[in-house]
Amino acid sequence: MSISDHPRVYGTVALTAAFAAGILVTLGFKDCYPELENRYQRRRNRNLSRSNGDYGVVVPTANRVHRESLIFGPVRLEDHEEVTSNINSSFDWVEGIEGCIGNTPLVMIRSLSEATGCIILAKAELLNGAGGSPKDRVALNMIQDAEERGLLVPGRGDTIYEGTVGSTGISLATLARAKGYKCHICMPNDMAIEKSQLLHHLGATVERVNPAPITSPDHFVNLARRRAREHEAIHADGSVGFFADQFESTANYQAHVKTTGPEIYRQTGGQLDAFVAGAGTGGTIAGVAKYLKEEKNLWETRVVLADPQGSGLFNKIRHGVMYSSTEREGTRRRQQVDTMVEGIGINRITENFESGRVLIDDAVRVTDEQACRMARWLVEHDGIFCGSSTAVNCVAAVVTAMKLPRGSRVVTLLCDSGNRHLSKFWKHIGDMGLENDTQAQAEDLFAELGLEELKR
């Protein structure tokens, strides 16, 4: 008699066999599971934290024999996939201080956006890692351009000479040391003293000179050019003197065509209605304008110059002539520009500014008082401690926004920190009484800036 003749017996045997098989499989998986889990964790940990020596090393995971299984004997897990360690997927580093330049964040300034009904965005150029300003980009590009042309050779003892009111000099001094050069800076002696002190600590030679017109051989730019020419006669060691010439070198505006402009375009998705910036050399506004309009065809985007009082550029853009009533002989406090604002404002047309002048649509003149009040406003409402040129940019950004429809996007720059403007710009803010503890915090931006007529 066969089992098939008794269905009940057959069912019992089949159930017993299935139960026994389940036990065997469970015991086998129990033995395998810890190894599967360990293998997963090892692979996960390699992705999260690899040692420096793992770069590019192939880690084999196949044919490893592990502890013996009670059921199946030695368990061998075979993984025929090769896992290649790639340190770049775990670490994100840059080479040298020059790697800290660029890709600065684009920050929405809440208080200005709320007041204007537009989106006011500021590119935080004060976070550039070498000199803490947009001049880092310029300094690096000028040095790289000179190296490519054989004008600078690392390790030869070459010296970079430049005439600057501070920021470009700080960027050049920082990068010069990092790349094996010396640095010699000529600057007006009415600039904030902390700038020349910082240059000294960065290892630069600093000459502070009396302000003079650009036609004078003693103008700080002309002096730097002369010092570069004199270098080889003074230093008979085979080294050369290189005059960076930030005002006229096209490597200046090209730095912004290559970096600042593309970054702004990417960060806004190409959706911006206006770009607002001041001009000293003119490289920033020209370079960004050329990229946005000529390369990305954003011809509807308005490019607006932010100009401090006493500068002639406002009239050049608005009226086509470099003239201001404050430029009449005998009416100016100082030889360069009649303002306490440093870094922007000038009374001549540079090669950099001219390269993008026709792309600038409008200009906004900003008084010293407006700049001081804006700087204090940004501290009180946004926690932004900025320098004088940033304050001018932000006033002009507000004025520009009020000429555009609600919801428009306006981009400007946070150029540098207020730490470089303590002895002059911020001292004047204190003298104005804007930092008194007893003074109520201003809540009406337009009243604070004297722009009530712009209110919607």
Side-chain angles (χ1 to χ4, degrees), residues 47-69:
N47 288 334
L48 292 176
S49 177
R50 294 189 176 103
S51 66
N52 289 353
D54 283 342
Y55 185 75
V57 177
V58 175
V59 183
T61 60
N63 302 322
R64 293 176 180 169
V65 178
H66 305 285
R67 72 180 179 85
E68 185 174 331
S69 168

Side-chain angles (χ1 to χ4, degrees), residues 72-83:
F72 299 112
V75 176
R76 180 183 299 275
L77 293 177
E78 294 189 2
D79 185 352
H80 297 285
E81 176 186 1
E82 289 186 340
V83 180

Side-chain angles (χ1 to χ4, degrees), residues 375-420:
R376 190 61 205 166
W377 174 279
L378 291 173
V379 168
E380 294 290 344
H381 294 82
D382 300 280
I384 297 173
F385 184 53
C386 68
S388 54
S389 57
T390 294
V392 170
N393 285 347
C394 288
V395 173
V398 167
V399 173
T400 300
M402 297 308 289
K403 297 179 180 179
L404 296 171
R406 286 184 178 275
S408 298
R409 292 184 183 181
V410 178
V411 176
T412 189
L413 303 178
L414 302 179
C415 298
D416 64 358
S417 167
N419 293 334
R420 295 181 185 171

Side-chain angles (χ1 to χ4, degrees), residues 143 146-148 150-158 176 178-182:
I143 291 174
E147 289 175 338
E148 291 171 1
L151 302 178
L152 284 173
V153 177
R156 189 172 62 184
D158 296 349
K179 295 175 76 64
Y181 305 113
K182 299 174 184 177

Side-chain angles (χ1 to χ4, degrees), residues 315-361:
N315 284 299
K316 185 65 175 177
I317 296 301
R318 280 287 190 91
H319 310 297
V321 293
M322 288 284 289
Y323 174 77
S324 168
S325 60
T326 59
E327 293 305 296
R328 290 197 303 270
E329 185 176 354
T331 65
R332 299 164 64 184
R333 292 195 306 267
R334 52 192 297 272
Q335 291 289 345
Q336 189 180 12
V337 176
D338 188 16
T339 179
M340 71 177 58
V341 174
E342 297 182 4
I344 59 174
I346 196 170
N347 287 300
R348 69 181 190 276
I349 299 296
T350 66
E351 184 70 23
N352 282 283
F353 187 80
E354 184 62 24
S355 68
R357 181 172 61 86
V358 297
L359 303 176
I360 300 174
D361 301 289

